Every structure is written in C-alpha cells, then in structure tokens.
Amino acid sequence: MAQMTMIQAITDALRVELKNDENVLVYGEDVGQNGGVFRATEGLQKEFGEDRVFDTPLAESGIAGISIGLATQGFRPVPEIQFFGFVYEAMDAINGQMARLRYRSGNTQTAPITIRSPFGGGVHTPELHADSLEGLIAQQPGMKVVIPSGPYDAKGLLIQSIRDNDPVVFLEHMKLYRSFREEVPEEDYTLELGKANVVREGNDVTLITYGAMVHSSLKAAEELEKDGIDAEVIDLRTVMPVDFDTIIKSVEKTNRVVMVQEAQRQAGIASYVVSNVQERAILHLEAPILTVAAPDTVYAFTQAEEVWLPNYNDIIEKVNKVINF
Amino acid sequence: MKRTLENIEEQFETFQILNEEGKIVNEDAMPDLSDEELKEIMYRMVYTRILDQRSIALNRQGRLGFYAPTAGQEASQLGTQFALEKEDFILPGYRDVPQLIWHGLPLYQAFLFSRGHYHGNQMPEGVNALSPQIIIGAQYTQAAGVALGMKKRGKKSVAITYTGDGGTSQGDFYEGINFAGAYQAPAIFVVQNNRFAISVPVEKQTAADTLAQKAVAAGIDGIQVDGMDVLAVYAATKDARERAVNGEGPTLIETLTYRYGPHTMAGDDPTRYRTEEMDNEWEKKDPIVRFRKFLEEKGLWSEEEENEVIEKAKEEIKAAIKKTDEQPKQKVTDLIGNMYEELPAHLQEQMEEYKAKESK
C-alpha cells in the first residue's frame, strides 16, 4: 500500500486501465506531452506512447464528439475536459449524443466513454472553472455521474467508470487533488457505481453529501459529537444513479436528514435526493429535510468564494434545526 | 493536393464531367466505371427518386413519420456512396437515408426510422454506419473520431459524413474538419449545398464564395463539385477515398445541388423562400435526366429498362411498408430498457410501473 494524493490515485487508475485494456485511450488538451494542467496524466504518454495518450486541438465539443467516433471502432475513450466549466461547449456531444447512443441504436452501439474533469471551489480559479455543474449531466438519462471524495475512492471508482459500458462523467474536486493522502492499494480494485458509502455511522441525523462536502460534513459531525449529537454521514460517490437503499436504511434509523451539496441550491442533486427521501420515507421523518447548498447565483469570483461556499458551520446550523424541530 | 489561400476562385472552380446535355466535358477525369457499374448508378438514382415520391405519398397518408425529401440530390447522395467500400463508415444527416439504404440498411428499417422506431437505427451486422443525425453538424466531430479510430486500427477504410450548406456554419463543422486534419485521419466530409438551410439562402450563411474553400483554413484538401453530375461526384469521392486510405488525410467535398421538395414533410412551404424560376432552372440540371441522356447515347439505357426499375422499386417499397406495419410498436419499456447496460434501481422501479401500464 502506498500513501497517495487524489491526483496520484487518479494517475494510477489511468495507468492500471491503460495496462489492462489496449482499447483505453487517454486524451485532451495538454494531456499528452504536458501530463495535464494538474499532472493527472503525468508520465502516461511516455509510458504508453502517443498513439494511446495524446493531445487534442483545443475544442471541447470536438473532444467529446471524437470519443463517440472512437467508440464505434471499439475503443474505450477516457477524454479530459480541462475544467468542467468548459463543458457547456460540449453539451450536445455529451447529453445530446453519447448519452443517447445506446437507445438510439437499439442497443447495438454503446459509448463506453469516461469523461474526467476537474471542478469545485476554494482554489481561487478564474470564472467558469469551479462551478458545480454535475446536475446538468445527472439530469440526462443515459449518463452516469461519479464524484469521489478522496484518493482511495477516486482510484476504485475511476477504474470502474472506465470499465463501465455506459458513458460516465467523472468529476474531480480540485480542492481534494492534493489536500490529503490516503492508503491506496497498488493493485487494481474497483468500487461499484451507484453505491453510496457510509463514511461515519451515527444514530441522530443523516448527512447526505458527496465530493468535498464529505469532509465538511465529517468535520461538522465531529463538532456535533461534542454536543452529544451523533451524525451519520453518507458519501453518495455516484450522484447518478443515487443509492436510495443506503439512504433510506439510514433515514429509518436516524429519522432526520440534512442534505449537503456545494452546488447552488436550484434544481440539482439535493432536490432530487430530498424529493425521493420524502416520497420513500416520509413516515420515518421527525423533521423536515433541510438542505445546505450555495446560494442560487453563478459561482463567486475569488474574493467572495469563502462565504459563498457552504461550510461545516452551515451544516451544524441546519443539523441543530432538524434536531430541535 | 492541399489547397492554398491564393487564387481561391481558380482552385475551387466547380468540377464537372457530365454537362446538362449529358455530354462529357472533362474526358481526362472520366472515372473508370464498367457499363454494368454505370447502369447500376442509374438504377439506384431512378429507384431512389421513386422511393422519394412514394415516401412523400406515404407521409401524406399518415403512414410515415419524419421525412426529408431527397429528389434533386440523387447524384450527390448516391455518387458519393457508390465510391465507398462495404467497410467504410457512414455518418449521415437526416436527409441521407438513401446512402444508408445502398450501404445495406433494409428499406423497412428506413421506414421505421421515419416512424421513430429504434429498430430503424439498428444497423444490421456489417453495415458500418450511425443512424441519421438530427442535430446539424454533430456528426462532423464524430466522423473525425471514427476516422481517427480507423487510423489507429490500421484499417484501409474511411469515415464519410454529410451535412448541408447550413451545417457549415456550426462550430462542430469546423471542429470536425480541424480534428481530422490535425490527425490526418481518413475522413471525407461532404457538404451537400442545396442552397437553402430550410429557408435561409447560402448567401446569408457565409461571406465565403464557396463552402469547399473552408478546407483551406483546416489545412485539408477541398473540392467543389457539380452535385447534379453523378460522375463528377463519384470521381471526386473516389479520389478522396484513395488519398485518405493512403494516409494523405481528409477531404472536404462541396456538392452544388438542389432539393426540389420542401425541407421536410412537416409543413415547410418552399414558395415562401424560393421562386419558380429558380426551381425551373435547377430542374434543367437534373441528375437523372442528364445521366439518362449519357447512357442512352452509349446504348446502355432505354425507356423500357427505366420502367422496369420503376415497377421494381414500387413493388419493393410496397412489400417493405407492409413489413414495417408488421413490426411491433415501440414501447416505453423499450426506452427504459435501452438507457443503460444494466438497469439502475430507479429505472427498475419505473420499468415495473410501465410494464403494468402497458399490460392494461
């Protein structure tokens, strides 16, 4: 076992799959020679050659579009969108095209494509780099959306995403890239998509979250423990599909829920999760489900981002409300 | 040969072999086609014209769904397809159903596509194609990907894709030709310039004199062809294919053509944006009329033969539409079942719900 950062775990996952399957191709802007702007593909071109790890012209729709074409030739593309804020350029190629290929072709053609992309706030990026846009993809039938919360999950989920025969958007929170290390097995292993992970067990309230907010939620849980509140924290890992079985099991135990996401509140993952929880478990609820989310604005410029981003104090405040309801 | 920024007008002069009178005007460029092949091209053009007429009639009777008429574009559509090999991969636009049919898609499946049934998009084994694209230009980037994949596989084949004059205004058009150029991928990008993007004339799409010259910026070869001259279209495509499989990169082919009918059968009225004079002028250039003259001159075609093709087409279309009618209707549970390889839990629940609804 090695101690790895999330970015190292991602590189390792790519290396494992490039080795395992000769159909895997890794490409994008600055991905080849330069090893990616975050070094996620560091050394891979050297190791696997330019035929399999390569730079593309600077055009997101083209990157996503060629992936569909490559898939028709039996490849398993792993393209990178350099920052997920650039995904608007590729929305037709993703939601309009690759998501629909299986259905459109009556199950005769598939798009086993994994689009990797950094996103997330707190690292002082310019505009359209940090926005949480997972909801745009999660709203599209045919797509899966995976968001790891740390190195171990990132490797297992990325390998599984690449092996999945449906298109996956794999979102990597930039703040998690190098913020901590974790034990990561050197061999290959997978974590099932569509399965949540109970990262902290508790009896009084369920915090449902994903991505960087898993850590804010864990920190909130630690603080709450001092006040005698025992919070359970569920890391969704996959925001489409969502593992409602794990959620409902927890809700039946705690009877109280706070949903936590970094994204702005409007029409996103939280709304989807909350509507399902009330539909499936309303008789188990002792209080309304509250949501911690960013305000309904575009992502804040750097100077306002610390206030804009939800933090553990926001979570504690909402938990106290549902506990004292 | 790569085009340059100099003397654009000369470089992109319209390539023609057969003029409107059915006379060869460019003997040197005459492709090497046997009498049988020449007759086969005529057979396919006549057949496709009948298919278009019958499809329009079936649409009016409510027996077909979405349909984009093809009459006038036979030389552009079939001349390009005739230059392909079975292993070549077609990425069509929604008007390009004839190319799929001649590449091997059974007629009844083409009708199912029109009706919005997914079976119409299930390419039979060995038919290398995607189903017709609805979004203008999206197929251009995908074609670059297919071609890049072929290159990586070491295949001696090409990806060919189609759009119209309007499609050249899309970002995906530029991204597609640029990617293919950057990777020297074996792709052929066909622009069927039928003068109108629904109602907007090509003069309002671009200030460029030709659409073919857009190849210059991408650093790829480009050619403007008389799209009513099936021999010129065939020769240009054959040449593009040869260069592509020899590793010489992609080609942009602009065919000058015209659709006689409306944009689609969903209420478009061409008299709102085209004059009768213009229609008449283009009908004089008709691809079938001039090719018929050419073949008759060579003693390869007769009225009798043509009537046989027409009768055969009508019979086969009748049989195909009957088979189309016999197919079970598409169900919501088919949709649900084809979203993912394995149904996620939320769709399993919805599958049960709709199975119950459909069994009522």
Side-chain angles (χ1 to χ4, degrees):
Chain A
M1 290 259 254
Q3 287 279 327
M4 288 189 200
T5 61
M6 192 166 92
I7 197 90
Q8 288 169 332
I10 286 164
T11 313
D12 197 44
L14 292 170
R15 184 180 292 113
V16 164
E17 282 313 272
L18 279 160
K19 247 185 224 163
N20 270 344
D21 183 351
E22 61 181 17
N23 294 313
V24 170
L25 300 174
V26 172
Y27 53 90
E29 298 155 7
D30 306 295
V31 158
Q33 169 89 13
N34 195 40
V37 293
F38 289 100
R39 307 289 175 261
T41 52
E42 176 87 56
L44 297 179
Q45 187 177 68
K46 209 171 169 194
E47 189 174 345
F48 296 97
E50 213 181 323
D51 197 45
R52 300 190 57 207
V53 180
F54 53 95
D55 289 319
T56 63
L58 205 165
E60 287 76 19
S61 182
I63 290 169
I66 63 163
S67 305
I68 297 164
L70 286 165
T72 71
Q73 300 304 302
F75 288 103
R76 197 167 277 276
V78 189
E80 176 181 293
I81 301 283
Q82 194 163 68
F83 289 92
F84 205 56
F86 309 167
V87 75
Y88 295 112
E89 293 283 347
M91 281 307 280
D92 175 60
I94 299 171
N95 282 10
Q97 304 295 327
M98 66 179 72
R100 295 158 193 262
L101 190 60
R102 180 184 291 280
Y103 167 68
R104 191 182 283 162
S105 67
N107 223 350
T108 58
Q109 280 154 335
T110 58
I113 298 162
T114 302
I115 299 175
R116 291 181 39 251
S117 191
F119 81 111
V123 291
H124 314 305
T125 49
E127 204 189 356
L128 283 164
H129 284 63
D131 301 59
S132 290
L133 304 176
E134 61 272 18
L136 297 179
I137 310 297
Q139 220 251 339
Q140 175 60 50
M143 295 301 299
K144 294 181 180 177
V145 185
V146 177
I147 305 182
S149 63
Y152 176 83
D153 283 14
K155 182 172 171 183
L157 289 169
L158 181 53
I159 292 174
Q160 186 56 41
S161 297
I162 295 170
R163 292 180 188 175
D164 197 281
N165 287 327
D166 287 304
V168 176
V169 166
F170 187 91
L171 295 174
E172 303 163 3
H173 199 291
M174 286 182 271
K175 201 161 183 182
L176 300 178
Y177 267 157
R178 294 185 171 86
S179 59
F180 68 99
R181 286 170 190 273
E182 214 170 58
E183 290 282 313
V184 176
E186 291 183 45
E187 69 272 21
D188 82 49
Y189 63 94
T190 57
L191 296 172
E192 197 181 339
L193 304 190
K195 281 276 175 273
N197 184 25
V198 179
V199 289
R200 186 184 198 280
E201 289 191 14
N203 291 309
D204 298 333
V205 60
T206 301
L207 301 179
I208 306 168
T209 187
Y210 57 94
M213 284 295 129
V214 170
H215 304 282
S216 307
S217 298
L218 284 171
K219 191 168 179 194
E222 275 171 36
E223 295 296 317
L224 287 161
E225 198 178 354
K226 294 173 191 163
D227 298 331
I229 298 168
D230 186 17
E232 180 145 307
V233 179
I234 296 178
D235 176 358
L236 291 177
R237 282 182 173 165
T238 306
V239 298
M240 185 52 61
V242 168
D243 178 5
F244 290 115
D245 285 350
T246 298
I247 292 173
I248 300 306
K249 211 173 127 199
S250 175
V251 173
E252 285 172 0
K253 177 174 68 173
T254 65
N255 312 116
R256 288 178 168 82
V257 178
V258 173
M259 175 74 209
V260 183
Q261 69 177 18
E262 179 175 318
Q264 65 283 359
R265 175 182 291 255
Q266 64 189 62
I269 304 301
S271 308
Y272 177 64
V273 170
V274 170
S275 81
N276 268 276
V277 173
Q278 71 83 20
E279 202 167 307
R280 291 159 194 266
I282 195 151
L283 294 178
H284 293 278
L285 291 171
E286 298 286 348
I289 304 168
L290 297 184
T291 298
V292 176
D296 289 330
T297 70
V298 297
Y299 189 84
F301 289 129
T302 305
Q303 288 198 344
E305 76 180 338
E306 293 310 329
V307 178
W308 191 90
L309 286 165
N311 61 35
Y312 75 97
N313 283 320
D314 300 324
I315 300 168
I316 291 169
E317 197 183 315
K318 292 285 166 84
V319 169
N320 282 325
K321 275 189 185 163
V322 298
I323 294 285
N324 299 321
F325 180 76
Chain B
M1 183 192 68
K2 250 182 212 174
R3 308 288 178 171
T4 66
L5 283 169
E6 281 152 33
N7 306 321
I8 289 279
E9 222 167 283
E10 270 171 47
Q11 290 182 80
F12 292 95
E13 205 179 341
T14 312
F15 173 58
Q16 189 186 55
I17 294 177
L18 197 63
N19 72 8
E20 289 172 33
E21 281 74 46
K23 302 279 184 229
I24 300 292
V25 294
N26 190 348
E27 190 71 51
D28 293 347
M30 186 63 193
D32 185 22
L33 288 163
S34 68
D35 288 353
E36 283 316 303
E37 286 171 320
L38 290 170
K39 290 182 72 160
E40 176 66 18
I41 291 172
M42 184 61 178
Y43 172 87
R44 292 183 180 192
M45 288 206 293
V46 172
Y47 192 112
T48 303
R49 181 68 60 88
I50 298 301
L51 175 61
D52 184 62
Q53 289 167 0
R54 291 299 305 139
S55 298
I56 288 169
L58 287 163
N59 175 283
R60 289 195 174 126
Q61 294 161 17
R63 297 183 70 194
L64 275 190
F66 172 77
Y67 182 70
T70 59
Q73 297 189 204
E74 291 87 351
S76 291
Q77 296 184 324
L78 307 181
T80 47
Q81 196 280 328
F82 200 72
L84 303 181
E85 300 295 333
K86 194 79 187 159
E87 61 267 28
D88 294 335
F89 198 106
I90 301 181
L91 296 97
Y94 47 72
R95 203 180 305 283
D96 303 309
V97 175
Q99 294 96 304
L100 287 179
I101 292 169
W102 295 112
H103 211 52
L105 181 71
L107 208 44
Y108 86 96
Q109 284 190 270
F111 291 148
L112 283 172
F113 160 74
S114 167
R115 287 185 182 179
H117 192 301
Y118 70 83
H119 182 41
N121 294 342
Q122 288 176 315
M123 295 299 145
E125 191 68 35
V127 177
N128 296 306
L130 287 178
S131 56
Q133 179 57 246
I134 298 298
I135 298 300
I136 305 298
Q139 66 274 33
Y140 261 53
T141 57
Q142 295 170 22
V146 173
L148 177 60
M150 287 172 165
K151 187 179 176 182
K152 287 186 183 298
R153 296 287 187 209
K155 288 184 183 173
K156 290 284 173 198
S157 55
V158 299
I160 187 168
T161 187
Y162 297 85
T163 191
D165 35 312
T168 64
S169 297
Q170 287 280 12
D172 275 355
F173 167 83
Y174 293 97
E175 293 189 27
I177 63 173
N178 186 58
F179 269 68
Y183 294 125
Q184 287 295 289
I188 301 174
F189 298 100
V190 181
V191 174
Q192 295 180 77
N193 177 359
N194 66 15
R195 317 303 300 174
F196 292 91
I198 303 189
S199 68
V200 179
V202 69
E203 294 75 22
K204 286 187 181 164
Q205 291 293 342
T206 179
D209 291 331
T210 70
L211 302 176
Q213 75 196 55
K214 290 171 187 259
V216 175
I220 67 172
D221 204 356
I223 184 170
Q224 187 187 64
V225 184
D226 179 350
M228 309 300 259
D229 169 5
V230 76
L231 293 176
V233 173
Y234 170 83
T237 313
K238 191 84 180 161
D239 179 54
R241 188 186 185 281
E242 264 176 41
R243 281 183 287 100
V245 297
N246 288 334
E248 292 167 49
T251 301
L252 177 64
I253 299 176
E254 175 190 10
T255 68
L256 297 179
T257 184
Y258 201 71
R259 72 168 144 79
Y260 299 154
H263 165 65
T264 69
M265 294 305 293
D268 178 45
D269 172 11
T271 64
R272 294 170 67 90
Y273 52 87
R274 294 195 313 218
T275 62
E276 212 181 318
E277 291 74 42
M278 196 176 184
D279 287 350
N280 292 339
E281 192 191 309
W282 275 93
E283 277 180 33
K284 280 188 216 147
K285 300 177 195 282
D286 188 82
I288 296 177
V289 170
R290 78 169 80 169
F291 201 57
R292 184 191 293 125
K293 281 182 187 160
F294 167 72
L295 290 184
E296 280 175 350
E297 189 92 343
K298 287 173 78 89
L300 291 175
W301 198 253
S302 66
E303 200 182 331
E304 201 183 12
E305 269 175 285
E306 184 150 333
N307 284 334
E308 276 172 29
V309 182
I310 293 169
E311 286 317 306
K312 184 162 186 263
K314 284 182 177 169
E315 267 171 43
E316 288 182 3
I317 292 163
K318 203 172 157 188
I321 198 80
K322 188 164 173 279
K323 193 169 177 190
T324 309
D325 289 339
E326 287 163 5
Q327 298 300 310
K329 279 212 173 112
Q330 179 173 288
K331 297 183 297 210
V332 174
T333 45
D334 295 330
L335 268 158
I336 294 173
N338 283 340
M339 280 296 122
Y340 297 94
E341 184 176 42
E342 279 174 48
L343 274 186
H346 68 278
L347 276 177
Q348 274 169 22
E349 293 169 5
Q350 292 166 31
M351 181 68 103
E352 294 312 314
E353 188 184 338
Y354 280 84
K355 265 187 190 160
K357 277 190 186 179
E358 284 168 355
S359 66
K360 271 179 197 162

